[in-house]
Amino acid sequence: MTVTTMMNEAMAHSAAGTGPNGGIIARATALRPLIREHAAEGHREGRLVPAVIDALAEQGLLNLTVPQRYKGAEANSRTTIDVLAQLAQADGSTGWTAMLLNIANWFATTWPVKAQDEIWGDDPTSRCCVVLAPSAKGRRVEGGYVVSGRWPYASGSYAASHAIMGFLAEREDGGTGQALGILQPGEWTIERSWFPIGMRATGSDTVVAEEVFVPDHRVQFFTDMVDGDYKTELRHSEPRTNAAFLPTGTVIFAGIQIGLGRAALELAVERLKHKGVVGTAYTESRNSPVHQVTVAQAMSKVDAAELLAHRSCRDIDEAALRGEYLDTLTRARVRNDVGHTVTLVQEAVDALLKAAGSGSFMETNTLARVHQDLGVAGSHVHATPGIANDVYGKLLLGADGPLPVHV
């Protein structure tokens, strides 16, 4: 499928608003055999292999959130997380890498058109990686900031051309605030530092920059973005740039959880259809009531997680189409939904591995990799249930004092 055909497909579907784009999702599904074929190699190398990155790019799955004026799909949140779920079902690291590249690209659409042109104007295939944490301090100079720093956990950085990095910056009122700056190709390097037990192929290594000048038009302050005060001039013509910043950047984590949950179900169910139950009257697990109940409950939990994610996507996408910014309570509920998705899928997969037997935990078993990927993915600060519960509960009860995190 050509880029022009994919762009026309996306434009034709754009009127659907909050619905999933079946054509784009089908392209992600079709790549699952190739992704699985290279998953172990990527796990060993610490990043996705070129064959997978190239396939994702050729199918338009790394520019889902890029505006149509740059030949991107300009996909909504629902389509994006359904694509990510398909990719993660084949390999968690592939889904995660696609997630961070696509959300970083969407973040970039909230910058002034001048900054966007510098990313995609000459090369629509350009991609951004992102680290929100302000792991550096910018020095104010005429026309911008000079930034030096090190940003760990830059997922997808090996496949990125540009980097959106957080740093502390002086504001016009003399105070200091968290800012995000866009670094251009050649202004940053990658240092190997990512050696986890799960999500090993995400290439979440450390971005390094030394004395890089970041002009004002490539800088936005984090709190402004949280409030929806974006610098883009196209809010009225591109509804996706009305989407709430942190909810849009948080709901994506649910896609990875759902995909990994589906992968565990697929693998465990196939194993249980043929596995015996040692020391019992059941010669096959498929005839054991305990195993039947376990599978049914696990399926229901993953289904429930998907329903929660789809509700959040609908709220984000509908508000963006109306040109409205989500209220604080709904933004907190989206974060809580994602946290609950982590809980539901983790419970489901834990039960499935125990039911599938000790062989499921062997290093050579794909189920074990799914389990490790799920643990690492669910530990991200924007996905962890505890913080999300705390914030949502405070707002529901009208508790005194400021919230512990932005929503």
Side-chain angles (χ1 to χ4, degrees):
M1 183 177 291
T2 66
V3 172
T4 300
T5 301
M6 289 189 284
M7 184 179 176
N8 289 338
E9 176 191 278
M11 292 178 68
H13 189 84
S14 61
T18 63
N21 186 320
I24 296 176
I25 297 165
R27 295 203 297 273
T29 305
L31 285 183
R32 287 192 340 214
L34 180 142
I35 292 169
R36 285 175 176 142
E37 178 186 347
H38 294 284
E41 182 182 358
H43 188 75
R44 291 192 301 270
E45 294 295 322
R47 70 186 82 169
L48 299 190
V49 300
V52 172
I53 289 293
D54 291 346
L56 293 172
E58 288 168 4
Q59 293 303 314
L61 303 180
L62 297 182
N63 68 346
L64 293 175
T65 57
V66 174
Q68 292 173 2
R69 57 194 157 86
Y70 297 119
K71 300 183 180 180
E74 205 169 318
N76 59 21
S77 292
R78 171 63 189 274
T79 297
T80 300
I81 72 155
D82 284 357
V83 165
L84 297 176
Q86 291 296 322
L87 299 178
Q89 186 168 346
D91 172 50
S93 290
T94 300
W96 189 273
T97 300
M99 175 185 75
L100 265 296
L101 291 170
N102 277 300
I103 198 59
N105 286 343
W106 180 77
F107 289 161
T109 68
T110 70
W111 259 261
V113 172
K114 180 179 179 181
Q116 296 181 47
D117 283 343
E118 290 171 348
I119 299 172
W120 297 297
D122 293 331
D123 184 4
T125 67
S126 294
R127 310 175 198 116
C128 301
C129 62
V130 62
V131 177
L132 296 180
S135 301
K137 188 172 182 179
R139 185 174 74 252
R140 183 67 186 169
V141 296
E142 184 176 354
Y145 298 87
V146 173
V147 179
S148 295
R150 301 166 59 82
W151 295 267
Y153 312 128
S155 303
S157 51
Y158 290 98
S161 53
H162 297 69
I164 302 175
M165 298 289 114
F167 66 97
L168 295 178
E170 182 182 342
R171 301 198 67 130
E172 291 183 1
D173 60 7
T176 300
Q178 180 180 348
L180 293 172
I182 301 175
L183 307 183
Q184 300 290 85
E187 295 180 340
W188 54 284
T189 58
I190 304 171
E191 181 181 285
R192 191 84 168 90
S193 59
W194 180 246
F195 304 101
I197 62 169
M199 289 290 181
R200 295 188 65 171
T202 60
S204 302
D205 290 305
T206 299
V207 164
V208 180
E210 296 290 343
E211 292 291 292
V212 174
F213 173 67
V214 185
D216 285 329
H217 71 273
R218 284 196 234 129
V219 175
Q220 290 197 85
F221 279 90
F222 179 76
T223 52
D224 294 339
M225 299 177 78
V226 169
D227 294 336
D229 186 15
Y230 308 139
K231 285 191 173 182
T232 176
E233 304 90 340
L234 302 178
R235 296 289 289 269
H236 297 295
S237 59
E238 291 183 354
R240 290 304 305 155
T241 56
N242 293 313
F245 177 60
L246 286 178
T248 303
T250 299
V251 74
I252 52 175
F253 292 96
I256 306 303
Q257 296 291 315
I258 294 161
L260 289 170
R262 297 284 181 218
L265 280 163
E266 180 183 11
L267 293 164
V269 167
E270 185 60 29
R271 180 175 170 84
L272 289 168
K273 285 180 179 179
H274 308 287
K275 181 182 178 298
V277 189
V278 178
T280 74
Y282 299 106
T283 58
E284 294 179 305
S285 296
R286 65 190 181 92
N287 294 320
S288 162
V290 171
H291 292 81
Q292 292 163 359
V293 170
T294 296
V295 169
Q297 290 179 339
M299 180 68 77
S300 292
K301 287 181 178 181
V302 176
D303 285 346
E306 185 173 65
L307 289 171
L308 282 173
H310 285 170
R311 177 180 70 167
S312 290
C313 288
R314 185 183 65 245
D315 289 344
I316 293 167
D317 294 339
E318 285 182 348
L321 287 170
R322 294 193 305 267
E324 298 175 2
Y325 205 69
L326 281 182
D327 62 275
T328 303
L329 182 61
T330 305
R331 298 194 325 249
R333 199 216 68 221
V334 169
R335 182 162 185 157
N336 192 70
D337 284 353
V338 173
H340 196 49
T341 293
V342 171
T343 299
L344 288 169
V345 177
Q346 187 71 66
E347 290 175 351
V349 174
D350 282 348
L352 286 170
L353 263 76
K354 289 181 174 65
S358 57
S360 302
F361 293 90
M362 300 297 287
E363 287 184 357
T364 54
N365 195 314
T366 305
L367 260 173
R369 188 169 71 231
V370 170
H371 188 255
Q372 290 171 326
D373 285 350
L374 193 68
V376 174
S379 69
H380 194 282
V381 67
H382 287 288
T384 49
I387 295 173
N389 295 162
D390 180 27
V391 172
Y392 192 40
K394 279 179 166 57
L395 288 169
L396 287 171
L397 292 175
D400 296 331
L403 296 178
V405 294
H406 294 286
V407 294

